[in-house]
Amino acid sequence: MTLQFSLTRQSPETAETPCVVAGLYEDRVLTSAAARLDERSGGAIKRLIESGDVTGRPGSTTLLFGLDGVAAPRVLLVGLGEQKKLDAAVFHRAAHESARALKGLPIAGAVSTLAEVDVPGRDLPWKLRTLALAADHQAYRYTATFKPKDKPKTPQFESFAVAVAAETEACGKALAEAVAIAKGVQFARELGNLPPNICNPAYLADQAKSIADNRAGVSLEVLEREDMRQLGMGSLLGVAQGSANPPKLIVLQWRGGGAGDKPYAFVGKGITFDSGGISIKPGAGMEEMKFDMGGAAGVLGAFVAAVELKLPLNLVCIVPAVENMPDGAAYRPGDILTSMSGLTIEVLNTDAEGRLILCDALTYAQRFDPQVTIDAATLTGACVVALGKHASGLMTRDDELAEQLLAAGQATHDRAWRLPLWDDYQGQLDSGFADVANIGGKYAGAITAGCFLARFTNGLRWAHLDVAGTAWDEGRKGLATGRPVPLLVQYLLDRCA
């Protein structure tokens, strides 16, 4: 359930809310809201600053209780760093850290005044959407596989209001976008966090059916193993043949544009569990391979958000959903697979399976004659080594498309970084036994994976997002992030502007 978002014109010192959020800078400068709270409380905030108990370090938070003259029983101060250095990244951090602090309090709601902060190059709607999405992201709780608990005795964080001087149409539009994106992000996060004994290919197909059943204008087709065999999807089926869970090819369509308008196509890697197959992964950390369907979760979440917003465009979402398991029927290193495109593939490593299911899905996407095709996949550990957990890898030969996706990532702080797709790398995929090998050696692993996919996108305006580093937070308590839902939705919103 997403938070309930709203706008308010209440003053910070008189707002009737369990908690008011206000910002302060590292150079002892108060925001307007913090100054009003300080004045009403007889200088309480400035005294804490002078004593060193409160700082304005970026992302720092301090909770104050029962300030004299202030209606709210709690005031949460969040640091904004040096005023002259404040930018979109610092604001994004302040939004998330303040929301993280709110989640831990026994309160039902809060009012944030951070929209008053001047962020160079960003307008009020951007700030509203950023604050709302940060609050919703931090408020998320995964509960699906825990024993049901009694109703909490303390209030739970459920509503979030942002103080504004005036409630304009643009402000309302920004909150509507935030609600839709938040629904898409939560949909993606929940899919990613579910265990693989629940979230298998059939479950993904069922979730797609729920999307289609509950939203007008959406249609669904699910291709079964025999359908894929008749289409010649030997690459996808090769990956699937070692699992007791049959593969599914999920095709959702949203028709919000004209009947003759070419659709946008999203393709998401849906490996619901990746053991590595015969090239089995090390045991340590293998449980995280339930997240290997993060690309599928991301494109499905973006599809949900696009439909919620009723975007005036046509969109097709294709998810090849497969398990990669090592039983007696599993495909092997040395096998030659024939893809739907007719290209043959030498399997050198069965743990490079994502590209093998995506290549057939990308070929299938061409029957919709899309104007743009974007795939998202937790494709390579090499991308994590290159970019860490902050940026998704972006690969495309289309400079304009690259600029559009990079801009969408910057606008949502769901950032990507472009890697080259030069033909110089293609030689690493040469095979003496097939048209192409499925890996290109130890160097430039993320790029050669993109080069492999590029061979199946001839004639398409196509981009590849490697989200292996960004789709989930690592560790025993790591959760799915919902990326790249914000980036993809912003890209579509920009096409409708």
Side-chain angles (χ1 to χ4, degrees), residues 207-343:
Q207 291 301 298
K209 185 175 186 301
S210 72
I211 295 172
D213 288 347
N214 296 316
R215 292 169 175 84
V218 176
S219 64
L220 169 69
E221 182 181 14
V222 178
L223 277 64
E224 304 293 345
R225 192 191 301 270
E226 183 56 32
D227 300 316
M228 290 181 264
R229 184 176 289 114
Q230 291 181 13
L231 287 167
M233 293 184 173
S235 186
L236 189 159
L237 292 175
V239 177
Q241 68 192 40
S243 174
N245 287 307
K248 308 284 183 181
L249 186 74
I250 300 161
V251 184
L252 282 163
Q253 292 190 69
W254 159 249
R255 297 178 179 84
D261 294 346
K262 291 184 177 182
Y264 294 86
F266 289 166
V267 180
K269 173 188 170 185
I271 300 289
T272 59
F273 186 76
D274 181 20
S275 69
I278 298 299
S279 308
I280 197 162
K281 294 177 178 289
M286 193 191 287
E287 73 281 356
E288 292 190 347
M289 289 301 97
K290 69 175 185 177
F291 293 117
D292 208 19
M293 39 66 69
V299 298
L300 287 170
F303 185 89
V304 167
V307 175
E308 288 286 326
L309 289 167
K310 294 182 171 55
L311 294 185
L313 50 76
N314 295 328
L315 177 64
V316 58
C317 180
I318 301 171
V319 171
V322 178
E323 264 192 341
N324 186 23
M325 298 293 284
D327 84 344
Y331 77 129
R332 298 149 294 224
D335 282 359
I336 305 294
L337 305 177
T338 302
S339 68
M340 183 181 175
S341 72
L343 289 176

Side-chain angles (χ1 to χ4, degrees), residues 171-197:
C171 291
K173 182 173 180 287
L175 279 195
E177 290 174 356
V179 169
I181 295 171
K183 286 182 178 179
V185 168
Q186 287 214 15
F187 187 87
R189 296 184 80 185
E190 198 71 5
L191 285 179
N193 290 330
L194 285 170
N197 60 318

Side-chain angles (χ1 to χ4, degrees), residues 44 106 132 204 242 308 370 417-418:
L204 283 182
E308 288 286 326
W417 190 260
R418 191 179 183 185

